[in-house]
Amino acid sequence: MNDSANGKQSLPASDVIARDKRYVWHPYTQHGTEVEPTVITRAKGASLFDAEGREILDLISSWWTCTHGHAHPKINAALARQAALMEHVMFAGFTHAPAVDLAEMLAGLLPGDLNRVFFSDDGSTSVEVAIKIAYQSWINRGEPRRRLLVAFDGGYHGDTLGAMSVGRGSQMFGAFKDLMCRVRVLPFPATFGGDDAADEREAGALSAFESLLADHKQAVAALIIEPLMQGSAGIRFCRPSFLKRLVEMAQSAGVIVIFDEVATGFGRTGTLFALEQAGVVPDLVCLSKGLTGGYMPLAATVARDRLFDMFLGHNFDRALPHGHSFTANPLACAVALTALGLYEEEQTMARIGEINARHRTMLDVLAARADVSKPRVLGDVLAFEVQEGGQYQSEASRKLRAWYLAHGFNIRPIGSAVYLMPPYCITDEELSRAYAGMIEGLDQLASGAL
């Protein structure tokens, strides 16, 4: 088999799969039932290519990370330039221009005094850092009783221990419940176009938070939410007006507000950050996934100045005892700088608006189907429910995922939710192909052919 990327003879896919089955443990996978993985040998634009050269449209942006497309020439060049200068240096006691430039850029893009950037490795670690900052800030100001965290039903924030704790509402971490810290879970007012009960659900969620504050105001340390869109819960949306009222209630009670923008940041919801649509300034913002355009692991927890100041002092006890070996990796920071620069250079936000408009043309098509409910669009995200749905990796979702993959589409339903979240570089022709394939898969499921 010839590898077109380097002109060298590569090992057959069967050999890769055989060794994968012997040595690799994949994420979110039941290896007792999972089918053989697809061997990907290269990627370009909105497409992946398997070992046989077959094109697969990456319609979920490789778990929501890929923004400007695979193998973008300008990001490739930035990575090569930085690799020729320095691949890594420890970030305690040292600094470097890519990290400083990136921190300055993020501070400039975020509102208010969100100016202090703590770099880590991925979405989970960015949340872990935020939780630790929130906890310790109360200890540093002499209020150690503030230990209760508030999260939302269905919320998912990562797989490290603190992130799992605030993601207990996702029902994915039952095996670890005895290890988790104290968390109260509020109802999430998920909504969609034409939802007549949205006001009632929002009022219920806000009332539940109000009651919690009345009973435990001196114990609540922080509130965390995925603004506007819960991803892993099944692409569930909430309204900006709810988010605004929630933040106002929390901050008026002195509660630290954490926005987990790991999935919602960098254009996914139609603005660079979801917080812009609510017109609020949270106390901490967690960023990852699209930060590097999907190229490399990198995360940032961005704090308001006043939170940073609470860690200043004359002994290490007040400092934040947290770090990672690859904190602020220069390669990742250089890639992130270039990826962020492309939003203006390539008018990415305008393209997201065009994708949004195309998605909206599908709403009536989906609403007319008896096997589909709650069609919804936010930014470059199109989602809906199938009646045959269920829990994560339900039978229906597995059948749909397999059919889509076999026909050249990386569409990975979450339980009853089917969704598209494509790279922003996707062409109109590729979108048309995606819509046609998405509908054909639904037809196959509805007919019992799958």
Side-chain angles (χ1 to χ4, degrees), residues 58 60-70 75 123 262-263 265-266 268 288-298 339 343 421-424:
D58 191 3
I60 62 167
S61 298
S62 288
W63 261 351
W64 322 339
T65 61
C66 182
T67 51
H68 304 293
H70 297 282
I75 302 179
V262 169
F266 306 108
R268 288 297 177 197
S288 190
K289 289 194 181 291
L291 177 58
T292 65
Y295 263 64
M296 301 184 73
L298 182 67
Y343 283 86
M421 195 186 299
Y424 308 143

mmCIF file of all heavy atoms in Angstrom, residues 58 60-70 75 123 262-263 265-266 268 288-298 339 343 421-424:
data_model
loop_
_atom_site.group_PDB
_atom_site.id
_atom_site.type_symbol
_atom_site.label_atom_id
_atom_site.label_comp_id
_atom_site.label_asym_id
_atom_site.label_seq_id
_atom_site.Cartn_x
_atom_site.Cartn_y
_atom_site.Cartn_z
ATOM 1 N N ASP A 58 -15.686 14.849 7.775
ATOM 2 C CA ASP A 58 -15.557 14.931 9.236
ATOM 3 C C ASP A 58 -16.606 15.892 9.775
ATOM 4 O O ASP A 58 -16.317 17.041 10.134
ATOM 5 C CB ASP A 58 -14.148 15.396 9.602
ATOM 6 C CG ASP A 58 -13.846 15.243 11.082
ATOM 7 O OD1 ASP A 58 -14.707 14.721 11.812
ATOM 8 O OD2 ASP A 58 -12.752 15.659 11.507
ATOM 9 N N ILE A 60 -18.318 16.045 12.504
ATOM 10 C CA ILE A 60 -18.337 16.442 13.915
ATOM 11 C C ILE A 60 -16.967 16.992 14.330
ATOM 12 O O ILE A 60 -16.645 17.065 15.511
ATOM 13 C CB ILE A 60 -18.784 15.303 14.837
ATOM 14 C CG1 ILE A 60 -17.829 14.111 14.764
ATOM 15 C CG2 ILE A 60 -20.207 14.873 14.505
ATOM 16 C CD1 ILE A 60 -18.044 13.105 15.882
ATOM 17 N N SER A 61 -16.178 17.404 13.320
ATOM 18 C CA SER A 61 -14.900 18.094 13.572
ATOM 19 C C SER A 61 -13.989 17.338 14.532
ATOM 20 O O SER A 61 -13.324 17.933 15.369
ATOM 21 C CB SER A 61 -15.165 19.506 14.119
ATOM 22 O OG SER A 61 -15.873 20.285 13.187
ATOM 23 N N SER A 62 -13.966 15.993 14.382
ATOM 24 C CA SER A 62 -13.115 15.161 15.233
ATOM 25 C C SER A 62 -13.276 15.525 16.712
ATOM 26 O O SER A 62 -12.356 16.013 17.365
ATOM 27 C CB SER A 62 -11.654 15.255 14.791
ATOM 28 O OG SER A 62 -11.464 14.562 13.577
ATOM 29 N N TRP A 63 -14.479 15.242 17.193
ATOM 30 C CA TRP A 63 -14.866 15.569 18.572
ATOM 31 C C TRP A 63 -14.745 17.070 18.838
ATOM 32 O O TRP A 63 -14.263 17.507 19.868
ATOM 33 C CB TRP A 63 -14.072 14.743 19.588
ATOM 34 C CG TRP A 63 -14.841 13.563 20.100
ATOM 35 C CD1 TRP A 63 -16.158 13.282 19.901
ATOM 36 C CD2 TRP A 63 -14.328 12.494 20.897
ATOM 37 N NE1 TRP A 63 -16.510 12.104 20.519
ATOM 38 C CE2 TRP A 63 -15.402 11.596 21.135
ATOM 39 C CE3 TRP A 63 -13.067 12.207 21.432
ATOM 40 C CZ2 TRP A 63 -15.263 10.450 21.890
ATOM 41 C CZ3 TRP A 63 -12.932 11.057 22.173
ATOM 42 C CH2 TRP A 63 -14.011 10.182 22.396
ATOM 43 N N TRP A 64 -15.200 17.879 17.844
ATOM 44 C CA TRP A 64 -15.441 19.310 18.003
ATOM 45 C C TRP A 64 -14.155 20.129 18.100
ATOM 46 O O TRP A 64 -14.176 21.289 18.542
ATOM 47 C CB TRP A 64 -16.333 19.592 19.212
ATOM 48 C CG TRP A 64 -17.436 18.590 19.432
ATOM 49 C CD1 TRP A 64 -17.969 17.722 18.496
ATOM 50 C CD2 TRP A 64 -18.153 18.337 20.623
ATOM 51 N NE1 TRP A 64 -18.957 16.960 19.050
ATOM 52 C CE2 TRP A 64 -19.094 17.300 20.357
ATOM 53 C CE3 TRP A 64 -18.094 18.874 21.905
ATOM 54 C CZ2 TRP A 64 -19.971 16.802 21.324
ATOM 55 C CZ3 TRP A 64 -18.965 18.380 22.871
ATOM 56 C CH2 TRP A 64 -19.894 17.357 22.575
ATOM 57 N N THR A 65 -13.042 19.559 17.683
ATOM 58 C CA THR A 65 -11.755 20.261 17.814
ATOM 59 C C THR A 65 -11.364 21.012 16.558
ATOM 60 O O THR A 65 -10.783 22.102 16.633
ATOM 61 C CB THR A 65 -10.632 19.262 18.145
ATOM 62 O OG1 THR A 65 -10.524 18.306 17.077
ATOM 63 C CG2 THR A 65 -10.905 18.535 19.454
ATOM 64 N N CYS A 66 -11.628 20.436 15.389
ATOM 65 C CA CYS A 66 -11.129 20.989 14.126
ATOM 66 C C CYS A 66 -11.977 22.192 13.724
ATOM 67 O O CYS A 66 -13.185 22.070 13.526
ATOM 68 C CB CYS A 66 -11.166 19.909 13.048
ATOM 69 S SG CYS A 66 -10.528 20.456 11.458
ATOM 70 N N THR A 67 -11.358 23.347 13.594
ATOM 71 C CA THR A 67 -12.099 24.555 13.238
ATOM 72 C C THR A 67 -11.860 24.960 11.784
ATOM 73 O O THR A 67 -12.785 25.003 10.983
ATOM 74 C CB THR A 67 -11.701 25.721 14.168
ATOM 75 O OG1 THR A 67 -10.273 25.843 14.188
ATOM 76 C CG2 THR A 67 -12.198 25.481 15.588
ATOM 77 N N HIS A 68 -10.615 25.223 11.427
ATOM 78 C CA HIS A 68 -10.309 25.747 10.095
ATOM 79 C C HIS A 68 -10.053 24.655 9.068
ATOM 80 O O HIS A 68 -9.784 24.961 7.905
ATOM 81 C CB HIS A 68 -9.094 26.666 10.170
ATOM 82 C CG HIS A 68 -9.258 27.791 11.140
ATOM 83 N ND1 HIS A 68 -10.163 28.811 10.962
ATOM 84 C CD2 HIS A 68 -8.641 28.048 12.321
ATOM 85 C CE1 HIS A 68 -10.097 29.654 11.980
ATOM 86 N NE2 HIS A 68 -9.182 29.211 12.820
ATOM 87 N N GLY A 69 -10.132 23.407 9.486
ATOM 88 C CA GLY A 69 -9.913 22.301 8.564
ATOM 89 C C GLY A 69 -8.617 21.571 8.864
ATOM 90 O O GLY A 69 -7.693 22.113 9.485
ATOM 91 N N HIS A 70 -8.540 20.348 8.403
ATOM 92 C CA HIS A 70 -7.342 19.532 8.598
ATOM 93 C C HIS A 70 -6.233 19.994 7.650
ATOM 94 O O HIS A 70 -6.487 20.410 6.516
ATOM 95 C CB HIS A 70 -7.660 18.067 8.327
ATOM 96 C CG HIS A 70 -8.668 17.488 9.269
ATOM 97 N ND1 HIS A 70 -8.352 17.108 10.552
ATOM 98 C CD2 HIS A 70 -10.000 17.237 9.123
ATOM 99 C CE1 HIS A 70 -9.435 16.626 11.152
ATOM 100 N NE2 HIS A 70 -10.451 16.702 10.310
ATOM 101 N N ILE A 75 -1.255 26.896 9.310
ATOM 102 C CA ILE A 75 -0.999 26.321 10.628
ATOM 103 C C ILE A 75 0.157 25.329 10.544
ATOM 104 O O ILE A 75 1.007 25.267 11.440
ATOM 105 C CB ILE A 75 -2.273 25.652 11.191
ATOM 106 C CG1 ILE A 75 -3.426 26.667 11.272
ATOM 107 C CG2 ILE A 75 -1.994 25.064 12.566
ATOM 108 C CD1 ILE A 75 -4.726 26.079 11.797
ATOM 109 N N GLY A 123 -9.448 20.023 27.892
ATOM 110 C CA GLY A 123 -10.641 20.573 28.522
ATOM 111 C C GLY A 123 -10.814 20.149 29.964
ATOM 112 O O GLY A 123 -11.170 20.968 30.824
ATOM 113 N N VAL A 262 -15.166 25.056 26.599
ATOM 114 C CA VAL A 262 -14.303 24.114 25.884
ATOM 115 C C VAL A 262 -14.917 23.733 24.540
ATOM 116 O O VAL A 262 -14.235 23.717 23.507
ATOM 117 C CB VAL A 262 -14.039 22.866 26.748
ATOM 118 C CG1 VAL A 262 -13.367 21.764 25.941
ATOM 119 C CG2 VAL A 262 -13.170 23.232 27.949
ATOM 120 N N ALA A 263 -16.212 23.415 24.536
ATOM 121 C CA ALA A 263 -16.895 23.047 23.292
ATOM 122 C C ALA A 263 -17.549 24.237 22.608
ATOM 123 O O ALA A 263 -17.694 24.248 21.389
ATOM 124 C CB ALA A 263 -17.946 21.975 23.565
ATOM 125 N N GLY A 265 -16.606 27.533 22.676
ATOM 126 C CA GLY A 265 -15.732 28.620 22.270
ATOM 127 C C GLY A 265 -15.259 28.513 20.827
ATOM 128 O O GLY A 265 -15.416 27.488 20.170
ATOM 129 N N PHE A 266 -14.698 29.612 20.354
ATOM 130 C CA PHE A 266 -14.076 29.683 19.029
ATOM 131 C C PHE A 266 -15.072 29.447 17.895
ATOM 132 O O PHE A 266 -14.790 28.747 16.925
ATOM 133 C CB PHE A 266 -12.875 28.735 18.954
ATOM 134 C CG PHE A 266 -11.900 28.993 20.080
ATOM 135 C CD1 PHE A 266 -11.780 28.096 21.123
ATOM 136 C CD2 PHE A 266 -11.173 30.171 20.122
ATOM 137 C CE1 PHE A 266 -10.927 28.355 22.190
ATOM 138 C CE2 PHE A 266 -10.316 30.440 21.177
ATOM 139 C CZ PHE A 266 -10.194 29.539 22.211
ATOM 140 N N ARG A 268 -18.300 28.114 17.701
ATOM 141 C CA ARG A 268 -19.285 27.045 17.540
ATOM 142 C C ARG A 268 -20.722 27.524 17.706
ATOM 143 O O ARG A 268 -21.632 27.016 17.043
ATOM 144 C CB ARG A 268 -19.010 25.910 18.534
ATOM 145 C CG ARG A 268 -17.789 25.091 18.218
ATOM 146 C CD ARG A 268 -17.897 24.354 16.911
ATOM 147 N NE ARG A 268 -16.668 23.637 16.598
ATOM 148 C CZ ARG A 268 -16.358 23.177 15.409
ATOM 149 N NH1 ARG A 268 -17.183 23.357 14.391
ATOM 150 N NH2 ARG A 268 -15.229 22.525 15.206
ATOM 151 N N SER A 288 -10.421 25.127 25.342
ATOM 152 C CA SER A 288 -9.558 24.085 24.773
ATOM 153 C C SER A 288 -10.103 23.762 23.387
ATOM 154 O O SER A 288 -10.494 24.659 22.661
ATOM 155 C CB SER A 288 -9.509 22.850 25.678
ATOM 156 O OG SER A 288 -8.513 21.949 25.236
ATOM 157 N N LYS A 289 -10.143 22.499 22.994
ATOM 158 C CA LYS A 289 -10.649 22.017 21.703
ATOM 159 C C LYS A 289 -10.217 22.912 20.539
ATOM 160 O O LYS A 289 -9.133 22.750 20.011
ATOM 161 C CB LYS A 289 -12.167 21.842 21.745
ATOM 162 C CG LYS A 289 -12.599 20.646 22.600
ATOM 163 C CD LYS A 289 -14.035 20.279 22.371
ATOM 164 C CE LYS A 289 -14.494 19.099 23.242
ATOM 165 N NZ LYS A 289 -13.889 17.824 22.872
ATOM 166 N N GLY A 290 -11.032 23.888 20.140
ATOM 167 C CA GLY A 290 -10.711 24.719 18.985
ATOM 168 C C GLY A 290 -9.594 25.707 19.195
ATOM 169 O O GLY A 290 -9.210 26.419 18.262
ATOM 170 N N LEU A 291 -9.046 25.785 20.386
ATOM 171 C CA LEU A 291 -7.981 26.756 20.673
ATOM 172 C C LEU A 291 -6.818 26.612 19.706
ATOM 173 O O LEU A 291 -6.252 27.611 19.244
ATOM 174 C CB LEU A 291 -7.502 26.573 22.120
ATOM 175 C CG LEU A 291 -6.335 27.444 22.600
ATOM 176 C CD1 LEU A 291 -6.647 28.925 22.460
ATOM 177 C CD2 LEU A 291 -6.004 27.110 24.057
ATOM 178 N N THR A 292 -6.430 25.399 19.384
ATOM 179 C CA THR A 292 -5.329 25.178 18.441
ATOM 180 C C THR A 292 -5.847 24.765 17.066
ATOM 181 O O THR A 292 -5.086 24.230 16.253
ATOM 182 C CB THR A 292 -4.359 24.100 18.954
ATOM 183 O OG1 THR A 292 -5.045 22.841 19.020
ATOM 184 C CG2 THR A 292 -3.794 24.452 20.311
ATOM 185 N N GLY A 293 -7.111 24.967 16.806
ATOM 186 C CA GLY A 293 -7.675 24.547 15.535
ATOM 187 C C GLY A 293 -7.761 23.044 15.396
ATOM 188 O O GLY A 293 -7.920 22.525 14.293
ATOM 189 N N GLY A 294 -7.646 22.335 16.520
ATOM 190 C CA GLY A 294 -7.700 20.887 16.498
ATOM 191 C C GLY A 294 -6.357 20.228 16.275
ATOM 192 O O GLY A 294 -6.279 19.006 16.123
ATOM 193 N N TYR A 295 -5.299 21.003 16.290
ATOM 194 C CA TYR A 295 -3.975 20.466 15.977
ATOM 195 C C TYR A 295 -3.293 19.769 17.149
ATOM 196 O O TYR A 295 -2.725 18.694 16.990
ATOM 197 C CB TYR A 295 -3.061 21.594 15.489
ATOM 198 C CG TYR A 295 -2.979 21.704 13.988
ATOM 199 C CD1 TYR A 295 -4.102 22.039 13.235
ATOM 200 C CD2 TYR A 295 -1.788 21.479 13.320
ATOM 201 C CE1 TYR A 295 -4.045 22.141 11.860
ATOM 202 C CE2 TYR A 295 -1.715 21.581 11.941
ATOM 203 C CZ TYR A 295 -2.849 21.904 11.214
ATOM 204 O OH TYR A 295 -2.780 21.991 9.847
ATOM 205 N N MET A 296 -3.295 20.416 18.310
ATOM 206 C CA MET A 296 -2.491 19.921 19.421
ATOM 207 C C MET A 296 -3.224 20.110 20.733
ATOM 208 O O MET A 296 -4.072 21.004 20.856
ATOM 209 C CB MET A 296 -1.150 20.670 19.478
ATOM 210 C CG MET A 296 -0.318 20.555 18.220
ATOM 211 S SD MET A 296 1.284 21.346 18.403
ATOM 212 C CE MET A 296 2.094 20.155 19.473
ATOM 213 N N PRO A 297 -2.911 19.274 21.741
ATOM 214 C CA PRO A 297 -3.519 19.474 23.065
ATOM 215 C C PRO A 297 -3.040 20.779 23.693
ATOM 216 O O PRO A 297 -1.837 21.015 23.810
ATOM 217 C CB PRO A 297 -3.013 18.270 23.871
ATOM 218 C CG PRO A 297 -2.506 17.292 22.867
ATOM 219 C CD PRO A 297 -2.026 18.107 21.711
ATOM 220 N N LEU A 298 -3.979 21.615 24.067
ATOM 221 C CA LEU A 298 -3.677 22.860 24.774
ATOM 222 C C LEU A 298 -4.973 23.368 25.381
ATOM 223 O O LEU A 298 -6.037 23.258 24.757
ATOM 224 C CB LEU A 298 -3.096 23.925 23.837
ATOM 225 C CG LEU A 298 -2.692 25.245 24.497
ATOM 226 C CD1 LEU A 298 -1.500 25.059 25.434
ATOM 227 C CD2 LEU A 298 -2.370 26.318 23.455
ATOM 228 N N ALA A 339 -3.979 29.858 14.450
ATOM 229 C CA ALA A 339 -5.384 29.470 14.301
ATOM 230 C C ALA A 339 -6.308 30.630 14.664
ATOM 231 O O ALA A 339 -7.314 30.880 13.976
ATOM 232 C CB ALA A 339 -5.684 28.254 15.164
ATOM 233 N N TYR A 343 -9.240 33.697 12.060
ATOM 234 C CA TYR A 343 -10.636 34.140 12.150
ATOM 235 C C TYR A 343 -10.836 35.464 11.420
ATOM 236 O O TYR A 343 -11.836 35.653 10.716
ATOM 237 C CB TYR A 343 -11.065 34.255 13.610
ATOM 238 C CG TYR A 343 -11.364 32.920 14.234
ATOM 239 C CD1 TYR A 343 -10.354 32.151 14.798
ATOM 240 C CD2 TYR A 343 -12.659 32.412 14.247
ATOM 241 C CE1 TYR A 343 -10.620 30.913 15.355
ATOM 242 C CE2 TYR A 343 -12.942 31.175 14.789
ATOM 243 C CZ TYR A 343 -11.907 30.425 15.345
ATOM 244 O OH TYR A 343 -12.172 29.188 15.872
ATOM 245 N N MET A 421 -21.602 19.196 13.232
ATOM 246 C CA MET A 421 -20.790 20.292 13.752
ATOM 247 C C MET A 421 -19.511 20.335 12.904
ATOM 248 O O MET A 421 -18.435 19.973 13.354
ATOM 249 C CB MET A 421 -20.465 20.076 15.231
ATOM 250 C CG MET A 421 -19.941 21.313 15.955
ATOM 251 S SD MET A 421 -19.411 20.990 17.665
ATOM 252 C CE MET A 421 -20.912 20.419 18.441
ATOM 253 N N PRO A 422 -19.632 20.770 11.654
ATOM 254 C CA PRO A 422 -18.523 20.614 10.714
ATOM 255 C C PRO A 422 -17.413 21.639 10.903
ATOM 256 O O PRO A 422 -17.614 22.698 11.513
ATOM 257 C CB PRO A 422 -19.208 20.825 9.363
ATOM 258 C CG PRO A 422 -20.333 21.766 9.668
ATOM 259 C CD PRO A 422 -20.828 21.363 11.028
ATOM 260 N N PRO A 423 -16.231 21.353 10.356
ATOM 261 C CA PRO A 423 -15.183 22.384 10.297
ATOM 262 C C PRO A 423 -15.691 23.576 9.491
ATOM 263 O O PRO A 423 -16.491 23.409 8.554
ATOM 264 C CB PRO A 423 -14.030 21.676 9.572
ATOM 265 C CG PRO A 423 -14.300 20.218 9.714
ATOM 266 C CD PRO A 423 -15.796 20.086 9.754
ATOM 267 N N TYR A 424 -15.219 24.747 9.827
ATOM 268 C CA TYR A 424 -15.739 25.955 9.185
ATOM 269 C C TYR A 424 -15.331 26.070 7.721
ATOM 270 O O TYR A 424 -15.919 26.854 6.968
ATOM 271 C CB TYR A 424 -15.264 27.196 9.949
ATOM 272 C CG TYR A 424 -15.545 27.153 11.433
ATOM 273 C CD1 TYR A 424 -14.639 27.679 12.354
ATOM 274 C CD2 TYR A 424 -16.710 26.569 11.916
ATOM 275 C CE1 TYR A 424 -14.891 27.636 13.718
ATOM 276 C CE2 TYR A 424 -16.976 26.520 13.283
ATOM 277 C CZ TYR A 424 -16.053 27.051 14.180
ATOM 278 O OH TYR A 424 -16.303 26.998 15.530
#
